[in-house]
C-alpha cells in the first residue's frame, strides 16, 4: 500500500498525465535555460562543432582560439598521435598553456 500511495502522489504532480517540457522542468534558468530558449528560437546556444586549428596554431604568439559565449568552456583536445582526448577547462583571459598536449589555447569570446 505504501508504494501505491507514493505512486499516486507522483502522478498527481503531472497535470493532465503529461510529461513536463524542457522549459517546464528548467529550474533557475542558467545555462540550461539559455540553451532551451535559444533552441525555441531555432538558434544554437552551445556550439558543439569541433575546432580544427591551422597547422601553425598552438604557440604562445598564435594560440588555438576556442569560441565561447561564456567565460569558461570545457575543451576536449584529441591528441593526433595517441587519439586520446584530453579534457580541460579554458577560462576567459590570458593565453593558457596545457602541458598534457604541449599547446597554447585562448578563449575567444563571441556573442550568441
Amino acid at each position: 500500500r505504501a508504494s501505491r500511495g507514493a505512486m499516486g502522489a507522483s502522478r498527481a504532480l503531472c497535470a493532465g498525465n503529461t510529461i513536463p517540457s524542457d522549459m517546464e522542468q528548467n529550474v533557475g534558468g542558467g545555462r540550461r535555460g539559455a540553451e532551451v530558449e535559444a533552441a525555441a528560437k531555432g538558434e544554437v546556444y552551445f556550439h558543439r562543432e569541433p575546432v580544427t586549428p591551422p597547422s601553425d596554431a598552438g604557440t604562445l604568439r598564435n594560440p588555438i582560439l576556442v569560441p565561447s559565449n561564456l567565460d569558461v568552456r570545457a575543451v576536449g583536445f584529441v591528441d593526433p598521435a595517441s587519439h586520446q582526448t584530453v579534457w580541460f577547462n579554458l577560462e576567459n583571459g590570458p593565453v593558457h598553456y596545457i602541458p598534457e598536449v604541449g599547446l597554447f589555447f585562448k578563449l575567444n569570446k563571441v556573442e550568441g
Side-chain angles (χ1 to χ4, degrees):
R1 287 191 180 241
S3 63
R4 190 180 301 170
M7 201 164 81
S10 66
R11 287 184 182 160
L13 294 175
C14 300
N17 290 328
T18 61
I19 297 173
S21 69
D22 282 347
M23 190 53 93
E24 291 168 334
Q25 292 182 51
N26 183 32
V27 177
R31 292 165 58 155
R32 178 65 181 145
E35 183 178 29
V36 171
E37 287 177 15
K41 297 177 195 171
E43 300 171 356
V44 177
Y45 188 74
F46 290 114
H47 298 279
R48 295 180 176 93
E49 296 300 315
V51 175
T52 305
S55 59
D56 63 340
T59 65
L60 179 59
R61 291 184 184 193
N62 186 21
I64 296 171
L65 299 177
V66 179
S68 179
N69 56 352
L70 301 173
D71 288 327
V72 177
R73 179 172 174 175
V75 176
F77 180 83
V78 178
D79 184 315
S82 67
H83 302 289
Q84 291 184 329
T85 303
V86 176
W87 290 96
F88 56 93
N89 285 327
L90 188 60
E91 296 181 4
N92 194 22
V95 173
H96 299 275
Y97 178 70
I98 309 300
E100 292 85 357
V101 297
L103 296 169
F104 291 87
F105 293 82
K106 182 165 178 52
L107 193 77
N108 184 26
K109 195 78 186 248
V110 295
E111 292 299 318

